[in-house]
Amino acid sequence: MRGDRIQLDKMKQNINKLVYCCGCGGCETVCPVKCISLLQDANGFWRAFCEEKWCVHCGKCLKVCPFVQKKEKLGEIPLHVYAAVSKNEEFYRRSASGGMFSQLAEWVIEMHHGTVWGCMLDEKLKAVHRYVESMEELDKLRRSKYVQSDTRGVFAIVKQQLEAGRHVLFVGTPCQVNGVRRYLGREYNNFFAVDILCHGVPSPGMFERHIQYLQKKHHGMLTGFEFRQKRYQNEKTYHVTYLLGKAREKYLPFYRDAYYNAFYHLESLAESCYVCPYASERRCGDITLGDYAWAKKWHPEFSAYEEISCVLINTEKGLQLFETVAPGLICRPTRLEYVMMNNEALCRPTKRPAYRDKIYQEMRNCYARWAGHYFHSLRYIRQWRIWLPLKWIKQALKKCKSKF
């Protein structure tokens, strides 16, 4: 009788019982009675909600959920680790790091007429997962988008493309990658998954309010928004670019954008990101991509490059793919511990800052007031460039003290 009662309790569980949800949408797609919807919660994050009265307690939603699993089954420890940049100047210039994504996408599109999935900002500047089929369209997917993307309905289309025999390259956060893998349920020879080294994502609801705030502040419609755009050599600070209408453009350091600054200091991430089970050297993609600008410390042949990619090869399929595109790269084998030095996402989840307790509460009350408080705060003033010489002097003094 006790065993029957435990089994009954398990059957009654569904995604509403979960404390953390990454909003990948796998449960919504797999639900046989369509009682699960991916909706934005009070803080603007995509999250799955189940209509209990229609639920048949089949448990399929929990089977595909990337947060319902044991850590030791997450993925593979990398087989090989590389530092790499693309030899293609356009690929490198239009990428956040070394241009590796474009190299992989080119092989799928040009050699196999396949599809490449990734995050883009649509015409309304909403972060969505979409696919492209040509190199002309690829620029929509390039570079970082620091916001949770909308993946509603995506996994079903990926499966349709695979069943039709098309090559598919899916690029996303580790939870999204493992979500689509669990939804597919088996390994496809024509499916290639790339996960990115991710510290976490802010909410699309917050980003939408930020766009509205900027449009009012600058008296114009925003038609473009880019994080980490490369413009000048030897820039040490991340920048953001706003495109207002068709002609006006603003190029600012990250700390002059309230939304970007909150992300940079990891204050606005989803609660699930602060307990992320994927912040580990065990990866779920065939290949993992991330930043590795400090590689030149051990590999001086990259000294001419400001941005470098780390490439973690996690599966034999990933190795075959990497070897195929390697002729278009400058790449060197490196050590995982070097990559991990400044990539916390390979070691542990992002530490939850104290300010996270009230950031979304303040944002919900009045976004403009929250942003205004930031621009009058001491933490904003401390980031001004006028203090850089003092920082350099402080660093130099520390080095001198360490020698004696």
Side-chain angles (χ1 to χ4, degrees):
M1 290 294 292
R2 184 172 179 272
D4 293 340
R5 191 162 57 250
I6 293 173
Q7 185 64 28
L8 183 61
D9 289 341
K10 288 183 178 180
M11 288 294 290
K12 287 183 177 179
Q13 289 183 350
N14 55 42
I15 49 87
N16 281 352
K17 307 292 183 182
L18 299 179
V19 176
Y20 301 107
C21 173
C22 64
C24 72
C27 55
E28 179 188 44
T29 308
V30 79
C31 180
V33 294
K34 304 303 177 187
C35 69
I36 298 175
S37 300
L38 209 62
L39 304 171
Q40 289 189 7
D41 64 14
N43 292 330
F45 287 100
W46 291 112
R47 184 183 174 92
F49 293 92
C50 177
E51 187 62 56
E52 296 274 3
K53 63 182 179 180
W54 303 115
C55 181
V56 295
H57 310 297
C58 64
K60 289 185 177 181
C61 55
L62 297 177
K63 289 179 181 178
V64 301
C65 178
F67 268 71
V68 182
Q69 57 188 306
K70 293 182 179 179
K71 188 171 181 179
E72 62 268 17
K73 295 182 180 179
L74 276 180
E76 303 296 331
I77 294 176
L79 304 173
H80 305 280
V81 184
Y82 292 92
V85 295
S86 174
K87 293 178 182 178
N88 186 308
E89 178 60 29
E90 181 189 359
F91 288 179
Y92 177 76
R93 180 175 54 84
R94 294 296 293 161
S95 299
S97 292
M100 269 301 304
F101 164 67
S102 297
Q103 290 289 155
L104 299 173
E106 182 185 44
W107 178 81
V108 172
I109 292 173
E110 297 288 349
M111 300 301 294
H112 295 280
H113 307 290
T115 63
V116 177
W117 287 86
C119 179
M120 68 168 67
L121 296 182
D122 67 10
E123 63 279 358
K124 295 182 180 179
L125 299 184
K126 295 183 183 295
V128 295
H129 246 70
R130 295 291 184 266
Y131 71 89
V132 300
E133 302 175 275
S134 68
M135 292 302 293
E136 290 73 25
E137 299 175 288
L138 188 64
D139 199 57
K140 299 175 184 177
L141 304 184
R142 289 187 179 121
R143 300 174 303 284
S144 302
K145 287 89 176 177
Y146 298 134
V147 59
Q148 183 191 36
S149 64
D150 181 358
T151 55
R152 289 177 296 175
V154 166
F155 295 178
I157 302 173
V158 169
K159 189 171 185 177
Q160 291 172 8
Q161 293 174 344
L162 292 171
E163 295 288 353
R166 302 195 71 179
H167 278 60
V168 174
L169 176 68
F170 185 92
V171 182
T173 61
C175 52
Q176 290 173 336
V177 168
N178 206 29
V180 70
R181 280 198 183 279
R182 292 168 75 86
Y183 169 75
L184 293 174
R186 69 177 182 87
E187 190 64 35
Y188 288 81
N189 292 330
N190 51 333
F191 179 69
F192 301 88
V194 174
D195 71 88
I196 58 175
L197 290 178
C198 171
H199 298 283
V201 292
S203 84
M206 183 180 186
F207 188 62
E208 183 177 355
R209 287 178 174 87
H210 185 60
I211 296 299
Q212 294 169 355
Y213 163 77
L214 291 175
Q215 289 178 158
K216 187 175 181 179
K217 180 180 179 180
H218 297 290
H219 308 288
M221 183 67 67
L222 251 71
T223 55
F225 192 106
E226 289 196 9
F227 300 94
R228 288 185 63 175
Q229 184 182 14
K230 294 173 183 172
R231 182 167 294 188
Y232 306 113
Q233 288 291 332
N234 301 318
E235 281 187 323
K236 302 299 183 184
T237 304
Y238 290 151
H239 282 68
V240 63
T241 302
Y242 313 145
L243 184 62
L244 295 151
K246 295 183 178 179
R248 275 203 299 158
E249 185 179 271
K250 287 190 173 292
Y251 182 68
L252 306 169
F254 76 89
Y255 60 83
R256 290 184 60 188
D257 182 90
Y259 175 91
Y260 197 168
N261 184 77
F263 166 77
Y264 183 85
H265 292 289
L266 310 173
E267 298 167 337
S268 57
L269 311 183
E271 291 290 4
S272 58
C273 299
Y274 297 115
V275 294
C276 178
Y278 299 94
S280 163
E281 73 277 10
R282 291 185 175 273
R283 312 305 298 175
C284 50
D286 298 304
I287 292 176
T288 299
L289 300 179
D291 294 332
Y292 192 26
W294 55 99
K296 62 189 75 174
K297 180 177 180 180
W298 299 281
H299 307 286
E301 55 269 40
F302 291 105
S303 58
Y305 295 93
E306 289 301 314
E307 302 291 347
I308 304 167
S309 292
C310 64
V311 186
L312 279 55
I313 310 299
N314 308 313
T315 65
E316 290 297 332
K317 184 195 287 188
L319 179 59
Q320 292 172 11
L321 175 57
F322 180 77
E323 290 176 341
T324 303
V325 303
L329 305 172
I330 301 172
C331 58
R332 297 292 184 273
T334 190
R335 300 178 65 170
L336 183 60
E337 51 264 39
Y338 296 164
V339 176
M340 295 172 76
M341 286 181 63
N342 294 318
N343 271 314
E344 189 180 60
L346 284 169
C347 311
R348 65 189 70 85
T350 298
K351 185 178 179 181
R352 189 180 187 280
Y355 185 49
R356 179 58 175 77
D357 290 331
K358 61 179 182 178
I359 184 171
Y360 279 99
Q361 180 182 351
E362 292 185 0
M363 179 269 293
R364 288 196 308 271
N365 291 337
C366 181
Y367 189 91
R369 188 185 302 131
W370 169 76
H373 287 166
Y374 164 68
F375 287 117
H376 291 90
S377 67
L378 185 60
R379 59 190 183 126
Y380 170 62
I381 296 171
R382 281 174 175 170
Q383 296 179 97
W384 289 357
R385 289 181 174 179
I386 60 173
W387 309 120
L388 281 177
L390 293 177
K391 291 181 180 179
W392 295 335
I393 292 171
K394 188 176 180 180
Q395 290 172 359
L397 290 173
K398 281 186 177 180
K399 288 182 180 179
C400 290
K401 287 181 180 179
S402 63
K403 291 180 181 179
F404 296 99

